[in-house]
């Protein structure tokens, strides 16, 4: 697959509704003053205690994030929430044909006064793709709003509850902020599959 695949009603409603609702209300989110981990997005409000601020840093570039699963150097760091919601994540792994999961995280963006676009990026170091060509990113939107994900080719996928967008991890994309809802929640997964049926 070399393009973007969008699937509505990705999970059965009886699985999606209680689990997405529960995940949006967890007390596991950490505030970070960037959305892509680059120096130009941090404004000094955390690392400098706000005593030395960088006014050129875009004010909309912050979010709340919960890392649920991270696999690195043959070790996995796993949140308790991952174990608590095993049914939900097992269903996701089956639907996405996941062979090896690298990262699972939830991002929460707060409302903005206009639909800002973040920096185009890839979610993972794509140099590791040399040995494993089937490396994908999946974004499962937890709630509906007018924000979403834009790709370098201009394609825009709007946030819609239980919509999943799947694409090769090498494809650059960016966050588009919402103006109509206080919060926008997405589950972001980076993973390998053995093979992929388009």
């Amino acid at each position: 697959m070399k393009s973007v695949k969008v699937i509505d009603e990705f999970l059965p409603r009886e699985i999606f509704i209680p689990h997405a609702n529960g995940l949006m209300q967890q007390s596991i989110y950490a505030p970070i003053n960037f959305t892509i981990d680059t120096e130009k997005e941090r404004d000094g409000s955390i690392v400098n205690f706000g005593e030395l601020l960088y006014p050129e840093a875009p004010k909309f570039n912050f979010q709340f994030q919960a890392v649920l699963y991270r696999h690195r150097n043959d070790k996995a760091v796993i949140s308790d929430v991952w174990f608590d919601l095993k049914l939900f994540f097992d269903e996701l792994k089956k639907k996405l044909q996941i062979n090896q999961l690298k990262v699972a995280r939830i991002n929460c963006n707060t409302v903005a006064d206009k639909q800002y676009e973040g920096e185009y990026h890839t979610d993972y170091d794509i140099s590791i793709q040399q040995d494993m060509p089937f490396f994908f990113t999946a974004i499962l939107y937890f709630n509906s709003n007018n924000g979403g994900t834009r790709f370098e080719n201009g394609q825009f996928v709007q946030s819609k509850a239980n919509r999943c967008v799947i694409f090769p991890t090498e494809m650059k994309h960016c966050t588009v902020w919402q103006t109509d809802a206080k919060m926008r929640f997405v589950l972001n997964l980076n993973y390998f599959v053995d093979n992929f049926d388009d």
Side-chain angles (χ1 to χ4, degrees), residues 35 62-63 107-111 175 177-178 182-184:
T35 52
F62 79 94
Q63 64 185 354
N107 295 329
C108 173
N109 296 99
T110 57
V111 68
T175 297
W177 267 256
Q178 79 282 2
K182 288 184 178 182
M183 292 178 285
R184 171 181 176 267

Side-chain angles (χ1 to χ4, degrees), residues 155-192:
Q155 182 178 358
F156 174 69
V157 179
Q158 186 170 337
S159 293
K160 181 180 177 185
N162 205 14
R163 169 178 285 169
C164 189
V165 57
I166 304 165
F167 53 95
T169 300
E170 66 200 42
M171 289 186 72
K172 290 191 174 183
H173 59 285
C174 71
T175 297
V176 178
W177 267 256
Q178 79 282 2
T179 62
D180 62 341
K182 288 184 178 182
M183 292 178 285
R184 171 181 176 267
F185 289 90
V186 304
L187 173 64
N188 180 288
L189 302 155
N190 306 124
Y191 61 95
F192 292 110

